[in-house]
Amino acid sequence: MDVVARHLAAIDRLRARDLPAGGAGHHTVELQTGLPGTASDDFHALREAVAQCLGARWGEAPPWGQLTLRLRLARGERIPEPWASLCLRTDELDVWQAGGVWLAIGVADRDEADEIHLLATVTRKAPP
C-alpha cells in the first residue's frame, strides 16, 4: 500500500471513531512524522496528494491560511479547539465538511526545532 493510500485509510478510521462527548469533540492524529531538519517540502507535497484524493471525494477546497487565527489569538480572542492548536502548529489547512463532521489536514512545521508532522483532525466544531 502506498503512503497516500495508507494515510487515506487512517483518515477513514479517524472519521469512524466516536468523538468525545460534550463540547466540540475532536481527535487529532499524526499521520506521518519527520525528524527536525526533514524537508518540509516533502510533507507539503504529501499533504497536497492526500488533499487531492479527499477533494475528489468531497469537493475541492482551497487551503485555509492560519495567519488570521493566530492574529485573533494574539489579540486575546478565544478560538475554540482544535482550531486554536492547529493554527499555532500549521500555516495552512485543507478542510472539508463531510458526513456531519469537519476534517482538516495540515503540516505542523512551524517549530524548526521540533519534528514535522502531517496531521489529520476530525471535529464537530466548524472552523471559526
Side-chain angles (χ1 to χ4, degrees):
M1 177 183 287
D2 79 345
V3 68
V4 172
R6 191 170 66 240
H7 293 329
L8 291 171
I11 288 168
D12 289 340
R13 287 190 302 274
L14 179 65
R15 290 184 63 243
R17 289 177 59 186
D18 288 333
L19 290 170
H26 61 87
H27 292 296
T28 298
V29 297
E30 296 171 359
L31 298 173
Q32 188 159 325
T33 301
L35 298 174
T38 302
S40 67
D41 289 347
D42 294 341
F43 276 76
H44 286 281
L46 181 56
R47 177 191 56 81
E48 289 173 13
V50 172
Q52 185 176 18
C53 293
L54 294 173
R57 290 181 185 181
W58 301 312
E60 296 299 319
W64 292 44
Q66 299 297 293
L67 180 58
T68 300
L69 284 184
R70 284 195 295 275
L71 291 172
R72 290 168 58 187
L73 275 174
R75 287 192 321 239
E77 186 175 337
R78 186 183 176 289
I79 304 296
E81 290 298 339
W83 306 107
S85 295
L86 289 171
C87 81
L88 294 173
R89 298 182 70 191
T90 65
D91 283 327
E92 65 181 25
L93 296 171
D94 292 284
V95 180
W96 296 267
Q97 185 178 23
V101 297
W102 290 88
L103 169 70
I105 61 170
V107 176
D109 63 351
R110 294 187 40 78
D111 183 349
E112 292 180 12
D114 195 10
E115 297 173 323
I116 296 173
H117 304 280
L118 177 61
L119 303 175
T121 297
V122 172
T123 182
R124 289 187 199 102
K125 185 71 176 174

